[in-house]
Structures are given as structure tokens and as C-alpha cells.
Amino acid sequence: MKKVIKNGTVVTATDTYKADILIENGIISSIAQQIQLNGAEAEVVDAAGHLVFPGGIDPHTHLEMPFGGTVSRDDFETGTIAAAFGGTTTVIDFCLTTKGEPIENAIETWHAKSKDKAVIDYGFHLMIGEINEKVLSELPAVIEEEGITSFKVFMAYKNVLQADDETLFRTLITAKELGALVMVHAENGDVIDYLTKKALADGHTEPVYHALTRPPEVEGEATGRAALLTGLADSQLYVVHVSCANAVDKITEARNNGVDIWGETCPQYLVLDITDLEKPDFEGAKYVWSPPLREIKHQDALWSALKNGQLQTLGSDQCSFDFNGQKDLGKGDFTKIPNGGPTIEDRVSILFSEGVKKDRISLNQFVDIMSTRNAKLFGLFPQKGTIAVGSDADIVIFNPNKERVISAETHHMAVDYNAFEGMKVTGETVTVLSRGEFVIKDKKFVGKLGTGKYLKRAKYNRIQNAMQEDE
Ligand code: URP
Ligand code: ZN
Ligand code: ZN
Ligand code: ZN
């Protein structure tokens, strides 16, 4: 049956206006000040007093990902349900590869994790851990057949995920040729390796040493190095989870020099800080991310970078572990605390509440940062990331005035704590449609496991992204 969303305020990355939206066969078929049904059968959804915006696109998730001898707790079932509750309708997850193993096997593993579980649409990025003749021969099919048009390189996690500079440089060159966007985790893994070993040798085992052994300089250095290599390769780069002013400065400098480089930050870096790692009774372990939470002054740098376009996107970096039974693997040795946290559900809310409501970014910037720009950079626009005739009806109906408190008691992620516990936010996702079907209706989950579709994405288009940047 057709659906019509009536009386809402439609918000896109460029416009805010009152309109009705008609949905047919999962697609937005009409947008008008008033849609007359003239007796045609349609389900009417009243959005009076609410915002109606494109579903969030989370470009950075790790669902059911092996890490540090354990596996992240939220999988494609609980993770995508929680995402939907938070107003996200697409996730792009990182497919991890293993050196020497066929890439195809890694991708099949990720398809198997997601296929019958996801309740919203999803795509994959491919991790590159090595470049050799075999990998080079496999990559064209990754792009052409799987529609995976972004490659991820880790500059940290020495002896586990870390790639060397030759691998990064060759990945940049290859990506340019094939039409992929390279993503980097930018921290100097060698320096971190030295600093962590030294801290442990000196008897420092508490969670806060996770942050003290990965200072902002190691992120700034790696970001600058990756940016320079991108310029040298005349390639394209997306820096994930930017946490500090040091990295923002390097991205800004490279952009000013004409390098095709983009930056993402995450909600945790916008609202949490290094003092959270000092909480007693090992509670600091809940706040162990890489890069780590920073001194509070870095939050201002990140907000102004979002405001002025030096950073363009917000990813959750969802990678959740229970406090009891997973984070506690690192009791007595901070290097064994699994890195990451539960953020997929609160990403959109935090950006709205802390960003729009506190006048740090505009309402249209909010939509751009949490959805539209991600669709453009990752080859999903205009099918996703906007409210337009012909686009997928991935739509969020949002109450912009509802005040609530974030808590593990009420969240939908599978983990036993919430990183933003007790935080007051304004704004709440009420109803969510994925390709025209309700996933969340009046704050209740009504979706079905396995209805999320795998998305083959278009190649990275530098000219198109540059033109959009100039708008
Ligand atoms: O601490 C984090 N960020 N965990 C997830 C893996 C990664 O580096 O993104
Ligand atoms: Zn990372
Ligand atoms: Zn100590
Ligand atoms: Zn990540």
C-alpha cells in the first residue's frame, strides 16, 4: 500500500520546508505542499510538529567483529535494530581480511554475518592488510562485482591489523586507478607500541594509560603522513574517527593544498573526554577507544571543524563490548582491554542535541554530516541520503523537542552499559522507514530480520564530490 507522510517539516542537507511525502513501492514518488489522495488507498502517517529527514547513514561500524581475543557484542541483528531506533537506515561495516587468505572468503564471511539479520540496508568497506600481485588481481572484482568501493588501511594495531607505509601508498595508487576511496585509521602504531611497552614496564596498568600512550601527536603525525602520501599518489583519502585538533590541522592543511581528503569524527570525541578513563573501579575501561578520548579542549576543535567543513562526517565507530566479561579482559593490563564502544544508537541524537540545539551547526548541516555527505562519498547518492523524488524512502520522523536521558536501561544495543549514561538530550526518533516499510513505528520495533538489503555502491567520483563541496 502507498504511504503518505503528512504535515511534517522536511529537512535535507540544503532545505527546510513543510511538505507531504508520497511513498510507492519503497520509493519517494511525490513531494508537494499538500498531497491529495483523491480516494486512492494509502496509509497516512501524521508528522505534524515533527522533522522528516533522510535516514542516517553510519559509514563506520564493526558489527560482530573479532578484536583482541573476543568478538564485538552487537551483531547485524542487535546492531541494526539499535541503529534504526536511533534514526539510522544504512550502515557500512568493515570487512576484515587476513593476510594470505582470499579476499573473497572474507567478504563471504561478512555476507554470512549480515544476510539474515540486518533490518536496514548495509554495505561493506574492505580492509587492506597487504598489497601483492594476488591482492591486486582480486580487487577489480571487489569493486565491479561486490560494489565495495572503499578500502580501509590501519596505521595502528602493530602486529595485528597494522599495514606499513608501502602498503598504504600502493593502496592509494590502486584505489585511484580502480575508483575507490581509501580510509585510514591514522595513529602511529610503532610509536604507540613503544609507549605501551614502556608504560607496562613501569608498572602502569590502568585504563587511563591507554590514552596516555597514544597522545594526540601520534594521531596528528599519522594523519599528516597519510595526507602527504595521498597528495603524492594523487589519490583520495577519508580519515576515520578524527579525535583531536592535531589531526584536524593536518586535514585542513592538506585540503588547502588541494589534496582530496575528508575527515570523520564520532560522537564520543564530541562529548566525552580523557577524565572518563580515570573513573574508579576499572570503569574507565568503558571509555577505551582508539584513538583515545582527549583533553576537553579538543571537543571545541572538532565542533568548529564540523561547522566550517574541515571535517565532513560523523560515524559511530560502533564496536561494543560488555563491561562484564569483555572489557574486563584488560584488568591489570590496559593493553588487553578490547577497544571500542556502543555508539550506533545515539550517533544521530547526540549530533542533533549537542550540535543543532546548542547552535554549533545548522539543521541542514546536521543532515549533511550524519547522512547526505556519507551517501555522496560512499557511492550511495541519490538513492540514499536525501529526501527527493526517486530516492529510496529511508525516512526518519523525529520529535525535535522531546527531552530524554540516555541510558543502558532503555537502549537497544546488546551491551551491559551505555557510554553516554545519564546524558540529557533533546530530540527523539519516533518512526523510521526503510525503503518505505516501517522498521520503527511510534518508538516500537516492527521490522523483520533479514529485510535489510546489501548495497553495491558506485565508484568514488572525485569530480562529483569536489563539485558538491563547492556548493
Ligand atoms: O577503538 C576502536 N576504535 N575500536 C574499533 C576499531 C577501530 O580502530 O576502529
Ligand atoms: Zn580505527
Ligand atoms: Zn600507574
Ligand atoms: Zn572503527
Side-chain angles (χ1 to χ4, degrees):
M1 191 168 40
K2 295 180 189 180
K3 292 187 182 72
V4 58
I5 301 172
K6 288 192 88 68
N7 310 317
T9 298
V10 177
V11 189
T12 69
T14 48
D15 296 296
T16 307
Y17 57 96
K18 291 232 176 226
D20 297 346
I21 297 171
L22 184 66
I23 299 165
E24 293 179 82
N25 302 318
I27 303 282
I28 296 172
S29 61
S30 173
I31 304 172
Q33 284 185 4
Q34 296 221 310
I35 288 175
Q36 307 296 350
L37 289 167
N38 297 327
E41 220 191 305
E43 179 169 359
V44 175
V45 185
D46 186 17
H50 289 65
L51 303 179
V52 179
F53 50 71
I57 296 177
D58 190 340
H60 187 158
T61 67
H62 306 278
L63 299 171
E64 202 186 335
M65 186 187 83
F67 189 103
T70 185
V71 177
S72 67
R73 183 87 165 75
D74 282 283
D75 62 7
F76 277 84
E77 176 177 334
T78 62
T80 60
I81 291 173
F85 268 109
T88 290
T89 53
T90 300
V91 298
I92 314 179
D93 199 81
F94 289 94
C95 170
L96 294 192
T97 54
T98 310
K99 280 185 193 173
E101 302 258 325
I103 288 175
E104 203 188 309
N105 293 3
I107 296 173
E108 284 319 307
T109 300
W110 249 255
H111 279 304
K113 284 180 202 278
S114 48
K115 195 167 112 7
D116 298 323
K117 290 188 175 171
V119 304
I120 54 173
D121 293 351
Y122 59 94
F124 303 147
H125 312 286
L126 183 79
M127 172 196 158
I128 305 279
E130 61 183 342
I131 289 277
N132 51 39
E133 288 314 309
K134 184 160 168 297
V135 169
L136 288 174
S137 73
E138 292 172 303
L139 288 178
V142 169
I143 302 240
E144 303 295 338
E145 281 157 43
E146 290 288 342
I148 296 178
T149 54
S150 39
F151 302 150
K152 166 80 170 287
V153 176
F154 288 93
M155 299 170 79
Y157 303 124
K158 189 164 175 158
N159 300 325
V160 190
L161 301 171
Q162 186 171 330
D164 60 15
D165 286 351
E166 181 189 345
T167 303
L168 172 57
F169 192 55
R170 292 184 71 183
T171 303
L172 285 160
I173 290 167
T174 307
K176 167 85 191 297
E177 285 166 10
L178 297 177
L181 180 57
V182 178
M183 310 170 79
V184 276
H185 173 130
E187 288 186 297
N188 185 321
D190 288 0
V191 171
I192 291 166
D193 187 59
Y194 170 79
L195 292 174
T196 50
K197 282 177 179 152
K198 171 133 190 358
L200 287 177
D202 291 345
H204 297 308
T205 60
E206 308 88 346
V208 73
Y209 277 90
H210 174 77
L212 298 176
T213 53
R214 323 172 80 95
E217 287 82 358
V218 302
E219 186 181 342
E221 185 279 327
T223 305
R225 182 164 25 113
L228 281 173
L229 296 178
T230 303
L232 185 60
D234 188 23
S235 189
Q236 47 253 0
L237 187 73
Y238 176 101
V239 184
V240 301
H241 53 40
V242 171
S243 75
C244 61
N246 309 54
V248 170
D249 290 348
K250 293 295 179 183
I251 291 170
T252 305
E253 184 188 314
R255 287 175 72 80
N256 290 342
N257 289 331
V259 179
D260 193 6
I261 176 171
W262 308 87
E264 166 202 272
T265 189
C266 311
Q268 51 274 30
Y269 303 119
L270 293 171
V271 300
L272 303 176
D273 68 86
I274 190 168
T275 60
D276 289 299
L277 283 142
E278 289 164 355
K279 289 188 175 160
D281 301 326
F282 195 63
E283 216 194 316
K286 292 178 179 174
Y287 306 94
V288 165
W289 277 276
S290 294
L293 301 179
R294 303 300 187 185
E295 282 177 55
I296 203 151
K297 66 179 181 196
H298 290 277
Q299 291 177 5
D300 288 336
L302 297 175
W303 280 114
S304 53
L306 285 175
K307 172 87 200 165
N308 63 32
Q310 291 162 343
L311 295 176
Q312 298 80 27
T313 73
L314 190 73
S316 68
D317 196 8
Q318 162 77 21
C319 190
S320 61
F321 300 98
D322 276 327
F323 181 58
N324 296 297
Q326 294 191 289
K327 286 284 188 181
D328 52 16
L329 293 170
K331 262 193 185 151
D333 179 351
F334 69 90
T335 65
K336 298 203 165 65
I337 301 169
N339 291 191
T343 46
I344 200 166
E345 187 164 351
D346 301 306
R347 179 185 73 107
V348 172
S349 265
I350 287 175
L351 188 68
F352 182 82
S353 187
E354 291 291 313
V356 179
K357 284 286 177 180
K358 294 196 174 168
D359 275 332
R360 287 159 158 154
I361 55 169
S362 74
L363 187 56
N364 306 102
Q365 280 186 307
F366 156 76
V367 172
D368 197 41
I369 290 165
M370 65 88 186
S371 178
T372 314
R373 180 71 62 170
N374 302 320
K376 289 174 175 173
L377 290 173
F378 294 105
L380 293 170
F381 188 83
Q383 182 193 347
K384 302 214 179 273
T386 193
I387 303 273
V389 171
S391 293
D392 284 358
D394 290 358
I395 297 174
V396 173
I397 301 175
F398 191 82
N399 179 345
N401 299 313
K402 168 82 178 179
E403 294 182 0
R404 61 194 183 87
V405 176
I406 295 175
S407 174
E409 308 261 305
T410 47
H411 78 196
H412 303 89
M413 295 174 284
V415 281
D416 60 3
Y417 75 99
N418 189 298
F420 310 107
E421 186 70 35
M423 188 178 161
K424 291 195 181 89
V425 287
T426 304
E428 182 175 50
T429 297
V430 178
T431 291
V432 176
L433 297 107
S434 166
R435 279 178 285 101
E437 299 299 326
F438 291 109
V439 181
I440 307 294
K441 195 173 187 182
D442 292 330
K443 299 193 263 183
K444 291 195 178 58
F445 176 66
V446 295
K448 242 177 71 192
L449 299 189
T451 50
K453 260 210 316 226
Y454 175 70
L455 299 167
K456 294 188 180 184
R457 297 180 288 113
K459 291 181 186 178
Y460 180 77
N461 184 322
R462 180 181 297 180
I463 292 166
Q464 186 182 307
N465 279 304
M467 282 187 324
Q468 286 164 353
E469 173 70 354
D470 292 340
E471 268 172 15

